[in-house]
Amino acid sequence: MAATTVTVQAGHSAAGQAARRIWRAVRRNRKAAAGGVLLLLFCLLALFPGVIAHDNPAAEIYPKNLGPSSAHLLGTTGLGQDMFAQAVWGTRQVLIIAFGAGLAATAIAAIVGVTAAYLGGAWDGVLNLFTDVLLVIPLFPLLIVIAAYVHSSGTPVLITVLALTGWSYTARQLRSQALSLRGRDFLEAARVRGERALYIITVEILPTMISLLLAAFLTNALYAILFASSLQFIGLGDPNATSWGTMLYWAQNNEALQAGYYLQAIVPGACIAVLGTAFALLNYAFDEIGNPALRPVRKIRSKRVQSASA
Amino acid sequence: MRFVLRRAGFFLLTLWAAVTLNFFLPRMMPGNPAIAMMAKFRGRLSGQALVALETIFGVNTHESLLAQYVHYLGDIFSGNFGTSLFFFPSPVSQVVRSAIFWTLGLVGITTILAFLLGTGVGIVAAWRRGGLLDSVAPPVLVITSAIPYFWVGMMFIMIFGLKLHWLPWSGGADIAATPGWNGAYLGNVLQHAVLPGLALLITTIGTWVLTMRNNMVTTLAEDYVRMARAKGLPGRRIMLDYAARNAILPNLTGFAMSLGFVVGGAILIEYVFNYPGVGYMLLQAVQNEDYPLMQALFLLITVAVLVAILLADIATAVFDPRTRTAR
């Protein structure tokens, strides 16, 4: 009993150490800082949209297709909604999908990938085969087909479908990392103590993989944003939801570009692009933190290398 | 040989998984969409199309689920995908054939261009480490990889099509133009392909640049590169013959895979530009609730990827002896 408590504490402090190390690296990396600040801003918008956008985003009460003015900062939509309010309130749905699908897909990936690596043998073979099959089936066409059968999928359906189909890529990464941990002493010790596989996987293995889990989450979240917006854009989401993809859907449906209402197409797309960039910057920074060879080199050193190579 | 056999087995297994998904997805859906569809199409559907719908959703049939499944597998492997509901009475296979050439032309050529250009930029960026290209390209490309590519297409339509009137932005060619293998028609087709092609190129090139640069950075640290430098070989020769040649190996598999993704990879670009390819047709099938066509296109897209992966595996086995001995 005493032994268990000690290992739990050891596990926690190891995880805490890893978290502190990541935090320090993130603070030093400019890409990570930029991505982090952007993401934080979007989170604040999603939590308190009413603070800066006073209009009800769903209310179709204004003249249609107005240009930007002091009353409507970004004009109104083809349905007579305030665009600024739509863009601000739309943040919430996108972030719910990004975090929901991102976390769920990463959880599935971690369970499948780490279990396969830890158990090995036939389990590894079966789980790995399953992952590979899902990995090569083209994801977006599959999503389109599923969404077509479901008919106008709302947020929970989107999250479920994205999570169930999108975990395979990160599962492979997590599996290979867990494989490299397999022979380590602390796992051997836990096994000799007679701990169950579930305990070893969740308490011993997963905490040591925190930075890779974070990177996997960022990848999955970015894909969730892009795929969800794409599905909404072609009308396979809920057409009444307040979200950026749905705004693009209505802009396309009302032929906003052809009619000259450019803002209706620019604003939601730019929002998706900036939020996507935040996730992509964080992800790229994690690559650099994990692999120091990829970090940008200082000018002076590079000159020396070049002159040496010339 | 064992390696190739194992990969061929994987090919068959995945193909079976995709076909099985196609069979079970419509049957698993809550609220049975078949009933609603039947009501909607009542009176407009002839006997044959009705049968096609009933087969997909598994209603009004006296067969057991297992018998339906076996029946379906037999149909697929004999190339019988049923009748398109929207393009009735054309069989699905004929409808698909007209679309595939457009997609292969537009997306295929763009994919090859993106790979060549991206790899070149990646090589130079890694070689001139810390130079202008190396410090500008990665952050810019990280951002372009996060932008929804259909939106880039919309912006292109807005700027180059609607504002500047430089290029056509809708369809594969002018409707008035008569198709044929002559300069006028081909020029017209080419003009229509520029904007969607560019939009696709910009959003796909980033992956190639970044992976190639990262591979190069790793390769440049190898001993044989240092050896080449010590021998005093010219820089260009080290860059291309020593470093790039080895750094490109992992990317070749990725390239082969991306050739497989050509068929279904640019669905939204085709949609935004009304380009008459496979992706546009898939979305039309979805909008018209033409389920036989939709299922066939999904299978076609999956098979294209699987074939490309199988070919890539065989090529790797031929070129890289390590894979043949591994496990």
Side-chain angles (χ1 to χ4, degrees):
Chain A
M1 188 63 210
T4 333
T5 19
V6 170
T7 46
V8 168
Q9 277 167 357
H12 272 293
S13 75
Q17 250 173 25
R20 267 197 299 281
R21 214 176 46 238
I22 293 166
W23 171 238
R24 220 178 303 132
V26 165
R27 258 191 338 198
R28 282 203 201 120
N29 189 305
R30 284 221 316 264
K31 294 190 188 79
V37 168
L38 274 178
L39 187 57
L40 194 70
L41 279 179
F42 276 115
C43 286
L44 287 177
L45 274 187
L47 285 174
F48 314 106
V51 175
I52 62 165
H54 306 294
D55 284 291
N56 176 358
E60 302 168 7
I61 46 175
Y62 300 109
K64 290 166 187 175
N65 299 319
L66 288 181
S69 65
S70 56
H72 305 287
L73 281 177
L74 298 171
T76 59
T77 66
L79 300 172
Q81 303 143 319
D82 182 73
M83 272 251 286
F84 181 69
Q86 284 249 310
V88 171
W89 285 83
T91 316
R92 184 174 281 179
Q93 207 241 10
V94 179
L95 277 183
I96 289 176
I97 289 179
F99 278 92
L103 284 175
T106 310
I108 300 175
I111 293 169
V112 173
V114 175
T115 308
Y118 177 75
L119 294 179
W123 278 104
D124 188 25
V126 171
L127 288 174
N128 207 19
L129 190 65
F130 189 52
T131 312
D132 279 354
V133 167
L134 194 62
L135 192 65
V136 296
I137 291 181
L139 199 49
F140 191 53
L142 177 63
L143 284 175
I144 290 179
V145 170
I146 296 177
Y149 287 126
V150 176
H151 282 279
S152 55
S153 25
T155 312
V157 177
L158 269 182
I159 291 178
T160 314
V161 172
L162 285 168
L164 284 181
T165 53
W167 52 270
S168 54
Y169 178 70
T170 44
R172 278 205 99 167
Q173 290 180 322
L174 293 173
R175 171 176 171 268
S176 53
Q177 168 82 7
L179 269 183
S180 73
L181 289 175
R182 245 175 110 177
R184 297 283 178 83
D185 287 342
F186 70 102
L187 292 184
E188 207 48 50
R191 218 171 316 195
V192 170
R193 279 203 313 274
E195 305 290 3
R196 280 172 306 148
L198 184 70
Y199 174 88
I200 296 181
I201 289 172
T202 51
V203 182
E204 302 278 354
I205 301 182
L206 284 178
T208 59
M209 296 171 63
I210 275 191
S211 66
L212 203 69
L213 286 169
L214 258 173
F217 163 71
L218 291 170
T219 310
N220 289 330
L222 177 58
Y223 275 108
I225 293 171
L226 293 178
F227 279 142
S229 309
S230 302
L231 286 176
Q232 289 167 342
F233 170 62
I234 51 178
L236 291 175
D238 175 5
N240 300 316
T242 304
S243 74
W244 298 336
T246 313
M247 288 172 78
L248 280 170
Y249 166 71
W250 286 112
Q252 180 82 357
N253 241 22
N254 297 332
E255 309 213 314
L257 281 179
Q258 287 86 331
Y261 308 128
Y262 299 136
L263 273 183
Q264 292 179 15
I266 294 177
V267 171
C271 287
I272 299 170
V274 176
L275 180 62
T277 304
F279 277 101
L281 279 175
L282 280 172
N283 205 359
Y284 192 73
F286 266 92
D287 267 356
E288 282 183 356
I289 292 167
N291 185 355
L294 300 178
R295 286 177 203 169
V297 285
R298 292 239 172 81
K299 262 259 133 59
I300 310 158
R301 228 193 96 215
S302 76
K303 267 184 194 143
R304 209 185 58 212
V305 171
Q306 269 181 358
S307 63
S309 67
Chain B
M1 200 58 216
R2 264 197 67 185
F3 174 76
V4 172
L5 276 182
R6 256 204 14 235
R7 299 310 296 176
F10 177 71
F11 172 89
L12 287 178
L13 182 79
T14 317
L15 188 63
W16 169 78
V19 172
T20 307
L21 262 181
N22 245 350
F23 176 82
F24 280 105
L25 271 180
R27 287 171 171 76
M28 276 171 6
M29 286 304 144
N32 200 350
I35 309 281
M37 286 265 320
M38 301 286 191
K40 205 176 137 188
F41 278 108
R42 189 164 302 282
R44 289 201 284 130
L45 280 184
S46 73
Q48 206 185 349
L50 205 63
V51 171
L53 257 190
E54 288 172 351
T55 327
I56 287 179
F57 288 103
V59 289
N60 289 352
T61 171
H62 309 295
E63 287 181 306
S64 67
L65 198 64
L66 188 70
Q68 288 176 40
Y69 180 56
V70 172
H71 196 108
Y72 179 77
L73 283 182
D75 270 356
I76 294 300
F77 284 105
S78 55
N80 176 16
F81 295 101
T83 318
S84 166
L85 300 180
F86 188 68
F87 296 94
F88 193 77
S90 313
V92 162
S93 48
Q94 194 182 326
V95 178
V96 171
R97 212 170 297 154
S98 67
I100 196 151
F101 289 104
W102 289 103
T103 298
L104 287 181
L106 174 71
V107 193
I109 293 173
T110 314
T111 305
I112 295 171
L113 274 181
F115 175 71
L116 293 179
L117 276 173
T119 306
V121 172
I123 292 174
V124 176
W127 181 251
R128 304 212 179 116
R129 203 69 210 290
L132 184 67
L133 193 60
D134 187 46
S135 41
V136 172
V140 169
L141 293 171
V142 166
I143 292 170
T144 55
S145 72
I147 301 176
Y149 65 106
F150 62 89
W151 185 66
V152 176
M154 289 169 89
M155 293 298 102
F156 274 26
I157 291 177
M158 181 182 90
I159 299 167
F160 301 110
L162 293 165
K163 280 219 145 171
L164 298 170
H165 297 289
W166 280 0
L167 287 159
W169 50 268
S170 179
D174 280 335
I175 300 170
T178 32
W181 286 105
N182 52 46
Y185 185 71
L186 288 182
N188 192 277
V189 168
L190 208 61
Q191 266 193 345
H192 280 78
V194 172
L195 282 186
L198 264 185
L200 207 54
L201 189 71
I202 286 190
T203 41
T204 50
I205 198 171
T207 336
W208 300 124
V209 176
L210 290 178
T211 48
M212 190 61 197
R213 171 181 170 271
N214 293 357
N215 291 348
M216 271 292 274
V217 166
T218 320
T219 317
L220 281 173
E222 295 280 350
D223 283 340
Y224 55 82
V225 172
R226 192 168 303 140
M227 169 76 178
R229 280 191 173 131
K231 280 201 290 189
L233 291 178
R236 176 182 292 266
R237 183 125 185 255
I238 303 174
M239 174 174 87
L240 296 177
D241 290 353
Y242 280 74
R245 213 173 148 172
N246 288 295
I248 207 172
L249 278 176
N251 266 17
L252 282 181
T253 326
F255 176 59
M257 273 184 77
S258 74
L259 283 181
F261 280 106
V262 160
V263 179
I267 294 173
L268 292 182
I269 284 284
E270 291 184 353
Y271 174 67
V272 168
F273 286 93
N274 298 324
Y275 207 81
V278 172
Y280 185 64
M281 184 164 277
L282 175 65
L283 290 185
Q284 269 193 323
V286 168
Q287 267 158 10
N288 298 325
E289 303 188 308
D290 188 345
Y291 292 109
L293 185 57
M294 189 176 87
Q295 289 196 334
L297 287 171
F298 175 64
L299 266 190
L300 174 76
I301 291 167
T302 312
V303 168
V305 175
L306 292 180
V307 169
I309 291 175
L310 187 64
L311 291 181
D313 282 335
I314 293 175
T316 329
V318 171
F319 291 125
D320 192 344
R322 281 172 298 184
T323 47
R324 271 177 269 162
T325 47
R327 280 202 295 155

